[in-house]
Amino acid sequence: MKIDSGYSLKDGEVLAYEIYENGFDIFVGMKAQSSFLHQPEPYIPNPDISYEENAVAMCKELSEKSKAESDPPFNITTSMYNDICSNIDYLMLLNDSTEE
Amino acid sequence: MPLNINSVGSSGVGGSATSGCFTSEQYAELQETINGTYSDVVVSNPGTASYQTNENTWSESDTGLGIVLKDRAFYYRSYKQDFRMIKFAINDTYTISTITITDIKMPESYIQYYTRVGDRIIAFMYSGSSSSPSSYSVYFISYEGKFTKIGNLDSLFKGTKTKISTFNSKYTPEIVVYTIPDINDRYIHKFMVSLCFDDGYSHYWGNSIVEFSDSGGITVIKSATGNGNQYYIAGAYSDSDNKSGTESQILFKDDDTYYSIVTTSVKVSGTSSYTAGATSIVTYSRTWIKDTDDYYTKINTTQVSSTKIWTNPVPNPPSSGYPITELNTNPLLMQASTYPEMNIRYITSWFNYRPSGYTGSSKKGIWFFMTCEYIGGDWAFNTTYTVSYSNASKHATIPRDYSMNWFIDFTTYSVPVIYWVDRESGDHYAYLYSGIMESSSISYELTNGIYTITIELLDGDTIYCDNGLISYSVDAITTELNDITSCNITTSGTYTFKTHAPLSGKSPAFVVVSKSGSISHLKLKSNHDGSIEGYFLKGMHVGDTKITASGYNKIQNAFTANRCEISMN
């Protein structure tokens, strides 16, 4: 059964968790049918605390990261850069031929 | 040892796939295909792209252009920063159909690097931005699209460098998979993450090698900083060879010593383009000592030697062009090719030339892959396996460097299906293809009532044929067999067996069982309707059905719970 962690993502979606025998799952939204994070043994982040405490801590971390994020920056890729260079070269060529 | 196969589109490959380890049953299944030597492989039926990304934003430097996992779950990094999952089926002509698309929410802002590990993806992710990353983590991504966080690397990297390096592909993050057989001949995966950073302005870098294991935990193997061409990757080190491609390697254990085989392509220092005869494939053997006996949980290893054991010019080079630009390792293929008892057959590295002037349209490309065998303490190499195809269709040609990923699907058909993702320069879309790998080295021929099979066999294999084996030839020597129905192989090699053709005119049944008892060759095909057809021996079991006559049989309803077990008796 899903439990509201009390934390949410930047867009307001609730982070919920479900504990099972061998770990826990984290869901985005109480109505989500499948989890997006699956943390079984031996991948429990902090083995010294309970699964539930781990789940809540992970929801908190996800929430904080989400809210700290700005919109994805505009990253220029190699291809985009090459395209821009090609376009500039082409425009300069056109300009040269016009001047002649 | 039985052979397990899956039904089409089923959700499970036999064994403990979710643990990342392969059971003996899976091993048997995979070996069935690998035992054929893909000499002069033809990728047929490439057709047209079955899927085109809808974002015109692919970069040449995008790593992990797309990865296909089992159940034909194809993942790629979307420009929108989502991770996109495409699930598809293939039809009887091996082309892709019924595509469903799911965008998967990511737990971190970015995936910087991801690669396939068995039935999962391992991904290095970070939050913040590439110019100011705030935390670093490593995740598994299952074929079901679920993330599992396996480690946080903040303690290693946070604050030490300010920017993840992208200026040089040498310095981008790498995740290298180590596969170690355990005492039960199952395979334990280890992962090393080599992360490189710069200061955002100068070409300085920092690099740490971190190991993860399936049993959890992080072990820091090595950490270094520098600013030259020195480059560590998962313990490998090279400052003398000017590498032009990615290294690939496998770690294995023989007695109490670990060895890694590292393969890289090398060009003459200082050259930026291909020069005939100057490009080589180099394989190093590196010996490691292990600091702990408990290699189930960690393997602190220290490299004690590195020897260049094999150098070979690239076969059939084009007259001009660029050095080998792809040197990829398919972990699944590595596992499939790892024999029991520490005899390793390591098949690696599809790579290609990029012919000079290649623009992505109607240019023939050449792929190779290499086998490296370590059997009985001796090394053997072969690079004669050439895969090539040419197609006038723009996107059915060999892609440019950086922009290809591929997967060979062993799980459904006896004919392996290859999927590959291609991105063409200029349009920045990615395309998903499927094709068939047809081996010319397992050849069947029917002449005047005599049936011939040519097949590569290993010491310890046993070949069965109820029609009676007339003779075999190996190394130009023919041995008469007088219609015996089975033959034990004592020397590895390529064998040509002759047998009597069945009266029906169909193929006789050849079955090869390896030394470990695995069925290593069986000509069969599973069908969408749940049936299996193939050439079986009398007395074999296919699911619950006992074969009553050797030769071609078609067994209906062969699958139970999407699995079918085939055994010799």
Side-chain angles (χ1 to χ4, degrees):
Chain A
M1 188 179 68
K2 285 194 270 303
I3 300 168
D4 187 338
S5 69
Y7 295 99
S8 61
L9 298 177
K10 183 170 63 176
D11 56 13
E13 288 188 287
V14 169
L15 288 166
Y17 63 88
E18 191 169 305
I19 306 297
Y20 57 95
E21 190 177 342
N22 194 35
F24 59 92
D25 278 5
I26 292 177
F27 300 78
V28 178
M30 293 296 288
K31 293 181 180 175
Q33 293 192 340
S34 85
S35 63
F36 92 112
L37 265 169
H38 176 60
Q39 291 293 143
E41 292 282 6
Y43 303 113
I44 304 302
N46 185 350
D48 297 329
I49 59 177
S50 69
Y51 290 159
E52 181 153 22
E53 289 169 317
N54 268 287
V56 171
M58 210 157 180
C59 289
K60 181 185 178 192
E61 182 186 324
L62 288 166
S63 175
E64 289 173 350
K65 280 183 178 174
S66 164
K67 288 169 183 171
E69 283 173 11
S70 55
D71 290 334
F74 177 72
N75 287 330
I76 189 167
T77 66
T78 308
S79 296
M80 293 160 74
Y81 173 77
N82 290 340
D83 283 350
I84 291 168
C85 290
S86 299
N87 289 336
I88 290 171
D89 289 346
Y90 179 67
L91 288 170
M92 290 182 73
L93 197 67
L94 278 180
N95 188 46
D96 290 347
S97 59
T98 306
E99 286 177 356
E100 289 172 4
Chain B
M1 192 176 294
L3 175 71
N4 279 297
I5 61 174
N6 278 13
S7 65
V8 176
S10 68
S11 58
V13 176
S16 55
T18 54
S19 73
C21 304
F22 284 85
T23 66
S24 298
E25 286 76 18
Q26 266 189 300
Y27 165 74
E29 168 192 19
L30 295 166
Q31 194 187 43
E32 182 272 327
T33 302
I34 212 68
N35 203 15
T37 306
Y38 297 120
S39 175
D40 299 325
V41 176
V42 178
V43 177
S44 63
N45 191 29
T48 55
S50 296
Y51 176 73
Q52 174 185 320
T53 60
N54 59 0
E55 298 139 314
N56 183 11
T57 51
W58 287 91
S59 161
E60 284 179 27
S61 58
D62 276 335
T63 53
L65 188 68
I67 291 173
V68 183
L69 298 180
K70 74 172 187 176
D71 284 1
R72 300 181 193 89
F74 165 57
Y75 295 85
Y76 70 94
R77 182 176 58 175
S78 161
Y79 186 67
K80 294 187 300 183
Q81 309 301 338
D82 294 323
F83 212 49
R84 179 162 290 177
M85 177 172 68
I86 312 292
K87 288 220 172 184
F88 59 91
I90 58 172
N91 57 30
D92 288 339
T93 58
Y94 306 100
T95 54
I96 295 170
S97 61
T98 59
I99 288 176
T100 59
I101 300 174
T102 307
D103 283 332
I104 304 169
K105 188 176 285 295
M106 297 199 305
E108 309 283 346
S109 308
Y110 292 92
I111 286 184
Q112 175 69 17
Y113 185 81
Y114 61 99
T115 191
R116 177 178 48 241
V117 179
D119 287 333
R120 296 180 287 193
I121 291 169
I122 186 169
F124 171 64
M125 305 180 72
Y126 63 94
S127 286
S129 68
S130 61
S131 59
S132 182
S134 59
S135 67
Y136 312 96
S137 300
V138 177
Y139 288 81
F140 285 138
I141 308 169
S142 71
Y143 69 96
E144 298 159 315
K146 293 184 191 299
F147 286 83
T148 296
K149 187 172 182 175
I150 59 172
N152 185 302
L153 302 180
D154 285 356
S155 63
L156 291 173
F157 297 111
K158 196 170 182 179
T160 58
K161 296 289 170 185
T162 57
K163 184 182 178 183
I164 292 175
S165 175
T166 55
F167 70 90
N168 185 325
S169 61
K170 267 187 174 180
Y171 305 122
T172 54
E174 294 278 0
I175 298 177
V176 175
V177 181
Y178 277 37
T179 304
I180 302 175
D182 73 2
I183 54 174
N184 296 314
D185 285 336
R186 297 186 178 188
Y187 299 98
I188 307 295
H189 300 299
K190 307 287 183 180
F191 317 107
M192 287 188 176
V193 183
S194 175
L195 306 175
C196 304
F197 298 83
D198 62 40
D199 63 4
Y201 300 99
S202 302
H203 295 177
Y204 297 105
W205 54 270
N207 188 350
S208 285
I209 295 158
V210 182
E211 182 185 273
F212 303 91
S213 76
D214 273 355
S215 54
I218 295 175
T219 304
V220 178
I221 301 295
K222 190 170 285 186
S223 190
T225 58
N227 64 348
N229 287 327
Q230 296 175 340
Y231 179 51
Y232 287 95
I233 174 170
Y237 173 73
S238 173
D239 62 355
S240 58
D241 294 315
N242 189 351
K243 295 181 294 183
S244 58
T246 310
E247 288 188 337
S248 65
Q249 63 178 304
I250 183 172
L251 180 70
F252 68 98
K253 177 175 172 287
D254 193 358
D255 295 327
D256 293 327
T257 305
Y258 286 80
Y259 298 94
S260 66
I261 310 168
V262 183
T263 302
T264 186
S265 63
V266 175
K267 63 183 179 181
V268 169
S269 179
T271 60
S272 59
S273 61
Y274 173 80
T275 303
T279 301
S280 296
I281 303 295
V282 177
T283 298
Y284 297 91
S285 168
R286 294 195 165 100
T287 306
W288 304 76
I289 56 173
K290 181 167 61 64
D291 300 335
T292 173
D293 290 333
D294 185 11
Y295 63 88
Y296 292 95
T297 56
K298 68 175 184 178
I299 49 157
N300 289 335
T301 52
T302 304
Q303 180 177 319
V304 293
S305 66
S306 178
T307 307
K308 191 184 290 186
I309 56 174
W310 181 80
T311 302
N312 201 38
V314 175
N316 306 315
S319 57
S320 63
Y322 291 86
I324 290 170
T325 52
E326 294 283 337
L327 189 60
N328 294 319
T329 300
N330 182 342
L332 185 63
L333 200 54
M334 291 200 316
Q335 294 154 27
S337 59
T338 306
Y339 286 85
E341 301 176 11
M342 301 307 109
N343 288 333
I344 304 294
R345 173 176 285 185
Y346 168 46
I347 299 184
T348 184
S349 303
W350 291 76
F351 39 89
N352 70 89
Y353 295 112
R354 180 154 61 97
S356 181
Y358 176 68
T359 59
S361 58
S362 50
K363 295 285 186 182
K364 184 176 181 179
I366 305 170
W367 305 345
F368 302 95
F369 66 103
M370 183 188 83
T371 64
C372 168
E373 293 179 326
Y374 178 81
I375 297 176
D378 294 325
W379 294 98
F381 298 91
N382 197 332
T383 57
T384 60
Y385 306 143
T386 304
V387 180
S388 63
Y389 72 95
S390 177
N391 192 310
S393 172
K394 181 180 178 183
H395 293 289
T397 53
I398 298 298
R400 293 186 57 176
D401 45 354
Y402 306 122
S403 52
M404 182 188 180
N405 211 322
W406 56 273
F407 173 74
I408 299 175
D409 184 352
F410 294 102
T411 57
T412 303
Y413 293 93
S414 57
V415 175
V417 180
I418 180 170
Y419 307 104
W420 69 98
V421 189
D422 175 356
R423 190 194 70 77
E424 292 286 351
S425 178
D427 63 10
H428 306 170
Y429 292 89
Y431 301 84
L432 176 64
Y433 295 91
S434 63
I436 312 165
M437 289 182 65
E438 294 175 328
S439 169
S440 61
S441 66
I442 300 181
S443 63
Y444 301 88
E445 183 183 340
L446 178 63
T447 306
N448 297 327
I450 301 297
Y451 199 86
T452 302
I453 178 174
T454 302
I455 186 170
E456 185 180 320
L457 298 171
L458 294 173
D459 177 17
D461 286 348
T462 303
I463 185 167
Y464 295 89
C465 179
D466 280 2
N467 287 62
L469 296 164
I470 300 170
S471 65
Y472 71 82
S473 301
V474 62
D475 294 334
I477 298 172
T478 299
T479 303
E480 300 298 325
L481 294 174
N482 299 319
D483 292 349
I484 61 175
T485 55
S486 67
C487 180
N488 298 321
I489 303 301
T490 55
T491 305
S492 301
T494 301
Y495 286 74
T496 298
F497 281 91
K498 291 185 184 302
T499 188
H500 303 283
L503 294 176
S504 65
K506 289 182 179 290
S507 305
F510 284 98
V511 177
V512 178
V513 177
S514 71
K515 184 161 49 177
S516 67
S518 304
I519 296 173
S520 61
H521 174 75
L522 178 62
K523 193 176 183 183
L524 58 81
K525 179 184 177 184
S526 63
N527 297 316
H528 290 276
D529 61 2
S531 65
I532 286 181
E533 55 190 299
Y535 295 86
F536 303 102
L537 297 174
K538 181 180 179 181
M540 290 179 70
H541 277 85
V542 181
D544 294 330
T545 303
K546 185 174 183 178
I547 302 297
T548 56
S550 295
Y552 174 81
N553 284 263
K554 184 171 184 177
I555 296 93
Q556 302 290 348
N557 303 315
F559 290 88
T560 302
N562 292 330
R563 292 180 63 179
C564 175
E565 184 174 291
I566 301 173
S567 59
M568 288 296 291
N569 46 47

